[in-house]
Each structure stands twice: as C-alpha cells, then as structure tokens.
Amino acid sequence: MAKRRTAGKSVACSVAVPADKPIVETGGPELPLPGWLPCALLAAFVLIFFWDSFFAGKAPVMRDTFADFMPWRMFGREAFRAGVLPLWNPYSHAGQPFIANPQTAFFYPPHLLFYVLPPVFALKLWLALHLAVAALSMYALARHWRLGAAAALLAAVGFAFSACMIAVMEFQSLFGVYAWFPLALLLTSMLDEVRESDRDARWGAAARRMIPAVLGLSIVFAVQFLSGYQECFFYSVSVCVLFVVCSRLGRSDPAGVLICGCALGVVGLLCLGLGMTQFLLTAQLVPLSIRSIISGPHMEYASFHPRLFMSFLMPFLAGHPGHFTQWWGAPKLTIHEFWGSAVYIGMAPVMLATMAPAALSGRVSRAPRMRLLAWFLVTVSIIGLLMAMGGHTPIFPWCYENIPVLRLFRWPMKYMQLVVFALPLLAALGLHAIVDGRGRPRRWPMAALLSAWLAVWLFMAGAWLFCRNSPEFFSWLTGGAFIHRPEYPGPLRQLGSDLGWSVLVLGAVWALVAALAIGPFPARARRAIALAIVVVTFVDLYGVGRQIQPVMEDGVYRLSPKALLDARAGSEPGRFLMPYENQYCLYGVSDPKFYEQARQTGVGESSLPDHVDKLRGGETLRIKDYESFADLLKCMPETDPAWQRIANLLNLRFVVRTQEMEAMVAGAASLEFHLDQRPEPIPRALVANGWSIRSGARETVDCLVAPEFDPCRMVVVDRVPEGWPASQPLPEGVSHAPLTRLADAGVDNLQYGWNRVDVTARSAGRALLFLDDVDYPGWRATVDGREVPILRANSVFRAVPLEGAGTHKVSFTYRPWQVRAGMIVTAVTALIMIGLAWFSIRWRAAHQN
C-alpha cells in the first residue's frame, strides 16, 4: 500500500507504481484526448497505409515473401488442415526438415491466420496487424513512462512506419520479432516498477507482485522466439536486460538488479519451455546445416557506411529498392541492398531526438527518471550505431572475435534496428519536455540546435535549387557510389525529387518545432502544434514507405507453375534443376511479369505448395552433406560424364533453362524459358543386389563416378547389417543397361505422405532397397512390420536391408524424439504458468480484501 500527499492529507493508493514516483513527472498541459482516440488514430494510420491492399485488390509483392515465406505458409496450411505436423519437406533439396527451420515458423501463433483464412487475405491482415501491434505497443510504452499523448503518438508513428520497419516486412520472420519489441520492453518496465513499489518489502512479496509481468513477458518472448529470427530476438532480450540494469543501478539499488535478474531468469526458462519443440528441432538441425560451416560476419557488404548517416535525412540517398540503376549503394557504401540502409524515421523524430538533451535541461531535468530513460535510450542508440558500422570501426570485429554469442550473428547492419527503435522514444522524450509547461527548455541550447538545423535546411535547399540536376554533386555526396549513366536518366531525377521532398518536410518540421520550443503560444495552441508534428511525421513516412515495397494486383500470389506441373504429369518421379538458387534479383522489382516468370521457373520455394521436387530450394539451414554432394554439379561442365553420373544419382529428370535473371530485369534478355528432360536418371527407389562399403566422402564420390560402377544395381553404404558380407559384387552376366522406371528396378509402389514414405519392393534374395532421399536423424524404417536400421547410401541418401526373396512392404517414418519431448515440456510449462496465474489472482484478491 503506497501513500501520497494531497493538500496535507494522506490518501491510500493501491496501484503498483507509487503516485509520488512516476517514471516521468508531468504537470504541464496535457493533450485532452479520450483514451481510445490515439489508439483509433494509429489504427487509422495503419489502414491508410494498406488502403489499396484492403480496398483495391492489391498487395505488397515482396521478394522473400513471394518466393519463400508465402510458400511455407501454404505448406503449413495444408498440413494444418490435414491435422498433422509438417516435420519434413520432401520436395526441396531431396528432402529437408521443415519445422526445424525456424523461419518456417509453423508454431508462431499469428500464422493461424494463414491456416484458416484465404492465404492472400491472410497475408494482408498479417502485415497490417503486426504494424498495428508495433504502433500500439510503442504508444503504450511511452504512455507507461508518463509521456504525453502527442509524444507517445510521435514515438509510435516514428517506429511503426519507419523505413526500417517497412523494408523488413518482406522478411516475415524478422518483421514478426521486430513488431513485438515495444511490448517486450513495456512488460519489462512493468516488472521493474513492481520492484520499485516493493523495494522495502520482503523478497516473497516482490516475487508475488511480479508474477503477472513475468507471465506476460514470457509469452511475448516466446512469441518472438517462435517468429523465427533468433538474432532479432537476441536484440530484444538484450535491450530488456540492459533496461533493468540501467534502471536499478541508476537508482543505486544493487539488490534490485539481483531480484529483477532472477525474475528475468524465470522469464527465460518459461519462454524456453513454451518454445521447446521448436528449440530442440532447430538445435539438432543447426550443427548439420550449412550454417555450421559458413563463417565470417560479411562486413565487406553489410557494414553501415558513415556516409549513410545522411539516410536519416535523405532516405533514398544510396538508391531506391532494386538493382542495377536503382540501387547504387554497393560496393562503395558496403550495403548490398536498400533494406540494410533503411534507417529513416522521419524528419521530426530525428530533429527532436537531437534536441532531447536541450529539452531536458529545463525544469524537467529535476525528474531523475526522465534523465535515466534518456541515458538508456542514448546508450542503446550508440551501441546500435557502433555495431552496425561493422568493419568501419574496430568495435564490431573485436566483439565478433571475442564474444562467443555474437559470432552466431552476421550482417552488422542489422544492429541499426536498435537505433531505429530507440530514436523515436528519445524524440518522444524531447517533445514531451518541450510541450510540458513545467519543463520549458533553456533558451540558449535550444536556440543553438534550432540554428544548426536551420543551417542544414539551408544547405539542402541550396543543393536542391542549384544541384538537383548535377550528377557531380550526388557523386560527391555518396563518395562516388552514384555514377550517372546518360542512358538511364531516371536515378538522377529520383535523387533530385527525393532531395526536394526532404527539403519540404524538413522546413515544415523546423517551423513547427521552433514555434513549439520558443513561440509564446497558449497551451491549447501548443497542444495543436504537437499533434500537427505527429501528422506531418506520418505523411512524411507514408510518402517514403510506399516507395519501398512494390504493390501490384494480389493475383500474382495465385499464379501456378503450369510448365513444371505439365512436365511432371505422367512421368516417373524425378527432380527439377532450376536456373536460380535464390531470388536475389527480384528485390524491388515492380513488374508482375518477372514474378510470373519466377513462379513458372520455381524460384526459391515458390513451387513447394505444388509439390514439385527440386534439387534446390529456399531453405536457409540446408543440410551441409547434401549441399556438398549437389554442389558437385557446379564444379564440372554439363558435358562431363561425371556430371551426368552425379545428376543421375540425384534423380535429376528435368532441367529448366532460361536467361540470367539480372539480364532479364535489366531488359537485356527475354523472359522465355524451356524444359529439358533428361533420359537416364536412376529411379527414385531401386532394389540393389550389390553393395560396397566406403567410409570417407571423397572415397564414396570417387566410387560413384567411376565408369565401372552401376548405380542402377549397386549402392555404396557406410556400413552393413550384422552378418552381412562387407561387399557383394554383381553376378557375372548381369545386364548393365540403364534403368529409368521404378518397376524395372524392383519397386512396385512408391508413395509419399506426411513425414513418411511407403515402398513396395521385390527382391530375389538378400538385397538393399535404396531411396534417393536425404538421410537425416529421426527417420525410422520398417520392413514387413519389423524395424530395421537405415544405412547411409551413395554418400547422403538412405537404404534398408531386405532379407529373403519376395515382396516387401517398407515404410520410412520421420519421428524425431525432439517432437514428443518438446511437446511434453511445452505442456508442462503451460500448466505451470496457468498455476502461477491462478495463484496470483487468488493472492491479489485476498490482499485487496
């Protein structure tokens, strides 16, 4: 029970935060808005941003969303409606774990939208809801810190509609984590305040009061983890931990650090328990994937160049989203794509963030917790800036080499997400301090900052008037990254237009901020000016954000790869070799014909919902052994007999041939493509009467490509069952004619189901059934109902022993123990959390009575 004094009386106060110790003291004129109106305004902003998606039949068509994430959602939708877990994807990379790849995010709760609604509408709703979550939770966080409504709205708009947030929408796993950032910090702040209200109480009382915040934060962290982008999740956790440390130490409360640290430890355990199924499967996959052998932070093309700090004022300084003539940031600015330099949060938030120290120098400076918040946000911004600069400072390389956890993360530019998160909040602190009547800033610091910003505006206005058509000026501004090509005049016009927009917005913002900071306006007018700053910020960010992601008719998501399906129909099971291993060149492309061509040629995972078998795919954690084997096709010309043998062993039946994507996007090549059908791939499954043992990968490959090796009748295995001879050659006189049909290879039936493969095979005696699918831990096999060992065959595939002559029923089933164990842990964790919630409700009810 806390006490507060009013007019000499002592009044009981039962709220968690004492009334005499708010996070930020207020007392000046407040924006007189009903509690629901700011939330409605933010929801309206989100609806306006997606107006054509909901009312004009259009949708953002984004590279990775189109080629990877939407196909994954469709595959998950199919499994959900079949009532199974899609543990295995049999169509990409000769088989690949599906759920174990965190970016598929099958367990992420908001993905239920894709499973129950039409997929394209679900995508639109998913994007809008996440943007709304980002805006509303940022507003709630600022209001929780006792900032005014206008300041909270500015923070919400600056964060949710920032260029960074809009640019990462295409990476749904990252966007999902990032949208929950403010809510995670809000719950952390609530947990920290519980400790403040119970500072002198016993540990038990503090722990009981922390239960709601602990449970809420555990759920939010689990949701972020299940979204599938662990690096961004690590940022979120780190910011929350840093906030608690700064808050407790700033108040000289070391014991509070320990208590809140223990609470965060419980949060971590509960979060891990809720996501245990995902965690165990991913932990098994990572060491077996290419991620375990890829090293280096990629600083050479993912470090935020110092010149790109001007992107806070000119969002398209290094080009618009796209390639070739649109994006000129690489390689001189060491950012290979636009989204890596997308840091624009609006002119008003940038200006007010720089003015926050001056604003805090007034009477509000006597509010110690406002200063604490300011220092916390400045610290987060500085850490993010220094780490994002990557190879341009010695800090990131040193951290990468000496801090083990940071070696798991590459692409230093992604640390700019911390900056884009912190700066709008810092701007909100500045706006609040200026609007607050008790905290009018000192005149000289504010006048100096306003003069500095006026000088910036004058320089930009002069550049627009005299240099907007000058390639030399923009080349100087970008350090030579911009190279004008007379045959492509569009980029120069874009730069001039973007500079003019920046000048217009900066001038309007400067006038509003100057009027608010030094103008002798009454309280009502000051509140109106503060709200005008928010509206101008949204208009500014809307104008920038709508240029980032292409928008076109939503029917592009409903395209079907007709050519691939027609080629596959009626033929033996066989895989396709696609011309593109990734969808890199689709970034920023706004012409639907390129997406149609990408769909027809199976770019990324786009053909997954159509069950088209491919040698490659869009998985990010591909199995390294298979990847090494399939990469042999890159090491030799297609005319080489060894290439043909490897292709046959991979069950490669169709080759898609087309022009280079870069040439097509540049307009230098046609979009035509055609399919070549190879005549001699070995069947997907076969009965081999001969075998030999090879232990090393190189030795196995040498045996497989040898001219005397018959891949239709023999296999190379890593071991044989007990009692079998180490090798068995084929009898003399056996025909070595190629086999291309399952029936000729002793297989009468081959059927794929969810997480299983059923085969009916014939053998004349002791033999091995070979299945041309990747071997991976968790697969089990039965022959005629009896479990048998799975042998690794032909380097990366599977084989099982067949005993005796006759027809055999063989079943391969993918049942990793991690699924059952993870579900048990998740269920137990959920029960514990329900029990804690029930206990907290009963305890609070008892103490209130």
Side-chain angles (χ1 to χ4, degrees):
M1 211 63 126
K3 301 283 185 179
R4 65 186 174 106
R5 297 189 179 276
T6 58
K9 297 180 180 180
S10 180
V11 181
C13 180
S14 61
V15 296
V17 183
D20 60 339
K21 291 185 177 181
I23 289 294
V24 176
E25 288 84 343
T26 61
E30 176 53 63
L31 193 66
L33 297 178
W36 58 268
L37 190 55
C39 297
L41 183 62
L42 291 174
F45 284 164
V46 172
L47 194 60
I48 291 171
F49 193 87
F50 290 106
W51 71 269
D52 48 359
S53 294
F54 289 108
F55 303 114
K58 298 182 182 294
V61 181
M62 302 166 283
R63 172 193 56 180
D64 280 29
T65 296
F66 176 85
D68 285 342
F69 291 103
M70 275 297 281
W72 286 336
R73 304 296 170 260
M74 296 290 290
F75 191 69
R77 169 191 172 93
E78 184 181 356
F80 180 86
R81 297 200 163 196
V84 298
L85 290 177
L87 300 171
W88 190 259
N89 166 14
Y91 305 108
S92 304
H93 306 282
Q96 175 85 5
F98 184 76
I99 286 179
N101 178 8
Q103 295 206 45
T104 60
F106 179 78
F107 296 119
Y108 182 54
H111 286 164
L112 187 64
L113 293 173
F114 291 95
Y115 308 152
V116 300
L117 297 176
V120 179
F121 177 73
L123 172 64
K124 300 175 184 180
L125 190 59
W126 189 94
L127 293 172
L129 286 177
H130 279 76
L131 208 61
V133 166
L136 293 173
S137 58
M138 182 63 97
Y139 176 80
L141 174 62
R143 292 295 282 163
H144 174 74
W145 285 347
R146 307 302 190 271
L147 299 184
L153 283 170
L154 180 67
V157 171
F159 172 69
F161 298 96
S162 65
C164 179
M165 182 67 80
I166 304 305
V168 301
M169 279 200 317
E170 76 161 298
F171 313 112
Q172 288 190 6
S173 56
L174 194 161
F175 184 59
V177 182
Y178 200 34
W180 297 97
F181 252 45
L183 186 56
L185 186 55
L186 169 61
L187 291 167
T188 303
S189 181
M190 293 172 64
L191 185 148
D192 177 65
E193 284 195 4
V194 171
R195 164 59 188 162
E196 178 66 16
S197 63
D198 284 318
R199 184 168 181 173
D200 299 323
R202 294 174 301 175
W203 279 50
R208 285 189 289 268
R209 291 187 183 277
M210 285 181 175
I211 288 176
V214 165
L215 295 179
L217 187 57
S218 301
I219 293 173
V220 171
F221 275 166
V223 168
Q224 286 185 301
F225 175 76
L226 293 174
S227 181
Y229 206 91
Q230 276 65 43
E231 183 172 351
C232 194
F233 171 66
F234 172 77
Y235 298 161
S236 180
V237 174
S238 300
V239 168
C240 292
V241 172
L242 180 63
F243 175 81
V244 170
V245 173
C246 291
S247 175
R248 293 291 103 209
L249 294 182
R251 300 169 190 170
S252 300
D253 184 18
V257 175
L258 180 59
I259 294 175
C260 292
C262 291
L264 290 176
V266 173
V267 168
L269 292 175
L270 294 176
C271 167
L272 183 61
L274 291 176
M276 185 56 70
T277 304
Q278 181 69 66
F279 176 79
L280 289 177
L281 289 171
T282 302
Q284 180 191 38
L285 174 60
V286 170
L288 302 175
S289 72
I290 59 173
R291 192 60 185 269
S292 65
I293 58 177
I294 292 179
S295 60
H298 300 318
M299 291 185 294
E300 64 279 5
Y301 58 88
S303 294
F304 197 83
H305 196 282
R307 286 184 180 270
L308 288 175
F309 284 116
M310 290 183 289
S311 296
F312 284 105
L313 300 179
M314 290 183 60
F316 302 111
L317 172 71
H320 281 241
H323 293 284
F324 317 119
T325 63
Q326 290 181 298
W327 173 254
W328 49 83
K332 287 193 175 182
L333 296 182
T334 61
I335 294 289
H336 75 297
E337 286 184 346
F338 172 81
W339 69 271
S341 69
V343 296
Y344 190 68
I345 60 173
M347 290 292 185
V350 169
M351 183 181 296
L352 287 165
T354 63
M355 293 180 175
L360 292 176
S361 67
R363 292 173 59 188
V364 175
S365 65
R366 291 199 293 270
R369 301 191 185 180
M370 176 176 263
R371 294 200 305 273
L372 178 70
L373 291 174
W375 278 112
F376 163 70
L377 294 171
V378 168
T379 301
V380 172
S381 300
I382 292 175
I383 291 174
L385 286 172
L386 293 177
M387 294 294 288
M389 292 178 70
H392 298 298
T393 74
I395 296 174
F396 180 87
W398 185 91
C399 293
Y400 185 84
E401 292 296 331
N402 295 280
I403 302 177
V405 67
L406 297 184
R407 300 200 69 179
L408 300 174
F409 307 135
R410 300 169 293 160
W411 304 73
M413 64 190 184
K414 286 186 285 189
Y415 283 93
M416 288 301 294
Q417 295 164 19
L418 300 178
V419 182
V420 173
F421 173 73
L423 284 184
L425 286 169
L426 195 61
L429 284 176
L431 180 60
H432 172 82
I434 295 174
V435 174
D436 186 352
R438 294 195 314 131
R440 294 294 296 276
R442 294 175 181 170
R443 297 300 179 105
W444 288 112
M446 185 60 65
L449 283 169
L450 286 172
S451 299
W453 277 105
L454 180 61
V456 172
W457 181 82
L458 290 173
F459 172 79
M460 295 177 65
W464 181 75
L465 287 173
F466 302 106
C467 305
R468 63 180 181 271
N469 296 320
S470 170
E472 293 78 12
F473 171 74
F474 292 109
S475 178
W476 167 79
L477 200 62
T478 59
F482 174 70
I483 300 175
H484 177 59
R485 302 176 184 177
E487 66 272 22
Y488 296 113
L492 183 59
R493 288 198 299 266
Q494 286 178 352
L495 276 173
S497 176
D498 296 336
L499 180 58
W501 172 261
S502 298
V503 169
L504 176 65
V505 175
L506 181 57
V509 167
W510 185 90
L512 290 171
V513 173
L516 191 61
I518 61 178
F521 295 103
R524 184 182 297 274
R526 291 167 58 77
R527 294 193 292 267
I529 293 173
L531 188 58
I533 291 175
V534 174
V535 174
V536 169
T537 299
F538 173 73
V539 172
D540 179 18
L541 291 175
Y542 178 88
V544 171
R546 288 305 302 256
Q547 300 181 61
I548 293 176
Q549 301 294 1
V551 177
M552 59 189 75
E553 297 295 331
D554 58 17
V556 71
Y557 284 111
R558 302 184 183 94
L559 296 172
S560 176
K562 186 177 184 302
L564 303 183
L565 297 177
D566 289 346
R568 185 191 63 181
S571 67
E572 289 277 319
R575 297 191 173 95
F576 288 76
L577 177 62
M578 306 304 182
Y580 320 118
E581 292 187 9
N582 57 58
Q583 55 275 10
Y584 174 78
C585 291
L586 286 177
Y587 188 70
V589 172
S590 57
D591 192 333
K593 66 184 179 183
F594 294 107
Y595 288 92
E596 181 176 0
Q597 201 268 358
R599 187 76 168 90
Q600 293 295 333
T601 55
V603 169
E605 291 280 22
S606 61
S607 59
L608 176 60
D610 304 290
H611 299 180
V612 174
D613 297 303
K614 297 166 55 178
L615 290 189
R616 303 284 186 177
E619 298 277 2
T620 55
L621 294 178
R622 302 184 294 275
I623 299 174
K624 61 182 177 182
D625 289 347
Y626 172 79
E627 198 73 1
S628 298
F629 188 77
D631 278 347
L632 294 173
L633 296 180
K634 299 180 182 179
C635 303
M636 55 190 79
E638 192 171 336
T639 55
D640 192 321
W643 190 98
Q644 298 295 332
R645 285 180 169 271
I646 295 297
N648 290 339
L649 289 166
L650 288 167
N651 189 228
L652 177 58
R653 189 172 294 272
F654 302 97
V655 179
V656 181
R657 303 193 186 279
T658 184
Q659 301 291 326
E660 290 291 333
M661 178 66 80
E662 291 188 8
M664 289 189 293
V665 173
S670 69
L671 298 181
E672 295 181 357
F673 68 93
H674 62 278
L675 292 170
D676 285 348
Q677 182 169 355
R678 301 183 65 256
E680 297 183 356
I682 66 173
R684 178 71 59 84
L686 58 88
V687 176
N689 296 311
W691 61 84
S692 62
I693 296 179
R694 297 289 188 278
S695 55
R698 182 71 262 174
E699 184 183 3
T700 300
V701 171
D702 290 342
C703 179
L704 293 174
V705 299
E708 63 273 13
F709 180 78
D710 186 351
C712 297
R713 296 166 180 84
M714 294 191 66
V715 293
V716 177
V717 293
D718 61 344
R719 68 189 192 283
V720 293
E722 185 177 353
W724 285 42
S727 64
Q728 178 167 307
L730 291 174
E732 294 184 4
V734 173
S735 171
H736 289 271
L739 301 178
T740 59
R741 299 176 63 247
L742 291 169
D744 297 336
V747 175
D748 296 326
N749 180 58
L750 174 64
Q751 185 172 357
Y752 283 82
W754 289 107
N755 311 317
R756 66 180 295 126
V757 185
D758 295 309
V759 185
T760 303
R762 293 172 279 106
S763 66
R766 179 177 286 177
L768 292 174
L769 172 66
F770 171 73
L771 179 65
D772 201 7
D773 286 356
V774 166
D775 182 35
Y776 187 79
W779 279 97
R780 298 180 181 180
T782 61
V783 176
D784 300 328
R786 180 174 59 88
E787 187 166 350
V788 297
I790 296 179
L791 313 176
R792 173 159 290 203
N794 290 356
S795 185
V796 294
F797 303 109
R798 301 178 225 153
V800 294
L802 302 177
E803 294 278 4
T807 301
H808 304 279
K809 301 290 185 181
V810 182
S811 294
F812 295 88
T813 308
Y814 183 55
R815 292 184 299 178
W817 64 267
Q818 289 88 346
V819 174
R820 176 171 295 183
M823 288 186 169
I824 292 174
V825 173
T826 298
V828 170
T829 304
L831 291 175
I832 292 173
M833 294 178 69
I834 292 172
L836 287 173
W838 178 83
F839 170 78
S840 177
I841 293 172
R842 293 292 301 272
W843 184 83
R844 284 176 175 270
H847 280 68
Q848 286 176 355
N849 294 332

